[in-house]
Amino acid sequence: PLCDIDVLSEIEPENETALGSTNEQAGSPSTPQQPQKAAERHDSQPEEAHQPPEISKAPSTKGQSSLATPAVRGLLKDLKIDISNVTGTGKDGRVLKEDVQKHANADAPKSTPSPTSTPSPSNSKSTQTESMIPLTPIQSQMFKTMTRSLSIPHFLYTDELNVTALSSLRHHVNTQLSSANQPKLSYLPFIIKALTLALDSYPILNARVDTDTDTSRPQLVMRSAHNVGIAMDTPQGLIVPNIKNVNTLSIVDIASQIQRLQSLALASKLTPTDLTGGTITVSNIGSIGGTYVAPILVSSEVAILGMGKKRIVPAFDEEGKVVKREVMNLSWSADHRVVDGATVARCAEVVRGFVERPEGMVVRLR
């Protein structure tokens, strides 16, 4: 059988002596008479010497194997590790390189962190805590209102409008208002006025659904006054006061009412009259940011309009030339139980006409 040559240096002393004597009498290994002389030598030895010398393991106080390759022994020497202290995991208990490295790592001194060392991540992680916070009055009302809205199937519709002409008109109007020390106009009062003019042609979007009367089927309640709700972001939360009889107001009057409601909302002085009686709502989410919105209806209305932010985009004119264009997206939601999509689309087209050609809206002002 093949033997590791390094293992020969670990033969028991008495076996090494026997081998030494045998080699002296046998002479060179290539001598043909070696087997015969070796036999004669063994005949003169005690009975124990007749046993063939075995390659044995180095004595170990821990009973571990000492079989190893020269490379592993070199590593043991470099690390100053006694092979008898290493547990071999190879075949027949052979000590492998991995065994030496594992033994060396196990014997490495454990470094103790200094008092000023950074705590481990596991210790620095805080435990998750939860606390109960009651809803504010506005949040409680919003919770009830939006929960009721879940029973309404919403029809969503959005479109992009060219507001370049409206932007130019607004700029000229604001120049005149500024010279008269009056507040400037935003896009919101123009959109509200365009909406109320369109409601004259599509009054169903200003109605409400009545399911509380003692009848066999729900009914639509048509309303003549356009009380337009304005969604407002306040420190207390979302509130929706409304402007009464917008269909009888001018654009400047609408802007004045918006400013009044905003001032009252910031001071928390809105009255119940300001917060009730709305017939349709406009949400100007674009004043904060965002292009599209899916506004949510309240149960007392069948339509709501959301305004996106104004953007400048490249576009083609009628001659195919690239021009700068100002656009805005308007997003609608309607109660699909009583309002079909075609009605919403047609009403949205009327609003588009007034917004993209604001001179038509100015002519119809009351």
Side-chain angles (χ1 to χ4, degrees):
L2 298 177
C3 299
D4 192 327
I5 190 170
D6 283 351
V7 179
L8 295 179
S9 61
E10 311 236 359
I11 301 174
E12 297 291 345
E14 57 273 17
N15 291 334
E16 185 176 1
T17 302
L19 285 176
S21 301
T22 304
N23 290 337
E24 290 176 0
Q25 294 187 12
S28 174
S30 59
T31 306
Q33 289 81 8
Q34 179 181 358
Q36 181 179 356
K37 291 184 178 181
E40 293 174 356
R41 177 60 180 170
H42 282 294
D43 290 340
S44 62
Q45 296 296 330
E47 184 177 356
E48 292 80 358
H50 285 282
Q51 302 297 327
E54 295 181 356
I55 300 174
S56 62
K57 302 176 183 178
S60 172
T61 57
K62 295 187 178 182
Q64 305 298 338
S65 174
S66 61
L67 293 174
T69 63
V72 173
R73 291 185 178 277
L75 180 61
L76 288 166
K77 183 178 180 181
D78 293 340
L79 298 177
K80 298 181 180 180
I81 298 176
D82 187 353
I83 191 173
S84 61
N85 295 328
V86 182
T87 302
T89 60
K91 184 178 180 181
D92 298 329
R94 182 180 294 274
V95 176
L96 306 178
K97 181 179 179 180
E98 291 79 5
D99 301 330
V100 178
Q101 293 174 340
K102 181 178 179 181
H103 181 83
N105 293 335
D107 289 346
K110 303 295 189 299
S111 58
T112 57
S114 61
T116 59
S117 62
T118 304
S120 62
S122 59
N123 294 332
S124 62
K125 291 182 180 178
S126 59
T127 304
Q128 171 74 341
T129 59
E130 296 181 355
S131 58
M132 303 295 290
I133 300 178
L135 298 178
T136 64
I138 291 181
Q139 287 176 325
S140 298
Q141 184 60 39
M142 184 169 62
F143 182 88
K144 297 176 183 178
T145 303
M146 292 296 100
T147 301
R148 289 194 295 268
S149 297
L150 292 175
S151 62
I152 302 174
H154 285 52
F155 172 80
L156 305 178
Y157 178 89
T158 186
D159 198 6
E160 183 178 273
L161 279 64
N162 180 1
V163 296
T164 305
L166 178 60
S167 179
S168 178
L169 173 63
R170 172 175 169 268
H171 174 74
H172 291 304
V173 172
N174 283 337
T175 301
Q176 297 177 0
L177 293 176
S178 179
S179 61
N181 294 323
Q182 294 184 10
K184 294 182 178 182
L185 301 178
S186 66
Y187 288 95
L188 182 58
F190 290 95
I191 300 298
I192 292 176
K193 190 58 185 179
L195 172 63
T196 60
L197 293 176
L199 289 178
D200 290 338
S201 302
Y202 297 93
I204 188 175
L205 298 182
N206 196 56
R208 67 178 177 88
V209 179
D210 181 14
T211 58
D212 298 330
T213 56
D214 297 332
T215 60
S216 59
R217 62 182 61 185
Q219 299 181 81
L220 271 176
V221 179
M222 308 302 292
R223 299 180 284 198
S224 59
H226 300 169
N227 299 337
V228 180
I230 311 296
M232 293 185 178
D233 179 36
T234 70
Q236 294 77 30
L238 174 67
I239 56 175
V240 188
N242 61 83
I243 305 172
K244 301 294 193 293
N245 299 307
V246 176
N247 48 318
T248 64
L249 302 178
S250 67
I251 294 176
V252 175
D253 293 335
I254 296 172
S256 177
Q257 287 296 312
I258 293 174
Q259 186 177 14
R260 180 186 71 86
L261 293 174
Q262 286 177 334
S263 300
L264 292 175
L266 292 175
S268 300
K269 294 182 179 180
L270 289 170
T271 64
T273 302
D274 295 324
L275 295 169
T276 58
T279 60
I280 192 170
T281 299
V282 176
S283 176
N284 186 16
I285 195 66
S287 61
I288 300 176
T291 305
Y292 308 96
V293 62
I296 301 176
L297 291 165
V298 294
S299 58
S300 60
E301 300 175 5
V302 298
I304 182 174
L305 175 62
M307 295 172 53
K309 65 180 179 180
K310 189 199 71 164
R311 299 173 292 124
I312 298 177
V313 298
F316 294 99
D317 61 9
E318 295 178 355
E319 298 178 356
K321 297 180 180 179
V322 177
V323 296
K324 182 178 72 173
R325 179 173 294 174
E326 298 179 57
V327 299
M328 177 186 296
N329 286 84
L330 296 185
S331 302
W332 300 73
S333 287
D335 188 341
H336 214 2
R337 297 176 300 177
V338 294
V339 180
D340 54 64
T343 301
V344 176
R346 293 189 181 101
C347 183
E349 283 300 306
V350 174
V351 172
R352 173 202 290 278
F354 288 128
V355 171
E356 295 188 347
R357 295 177 293 277
E359 63 275 8
M361 179 168 49
V362 174
V363 171
R364 298 183 58 177
L365 291 179
R366 298 178 181 178

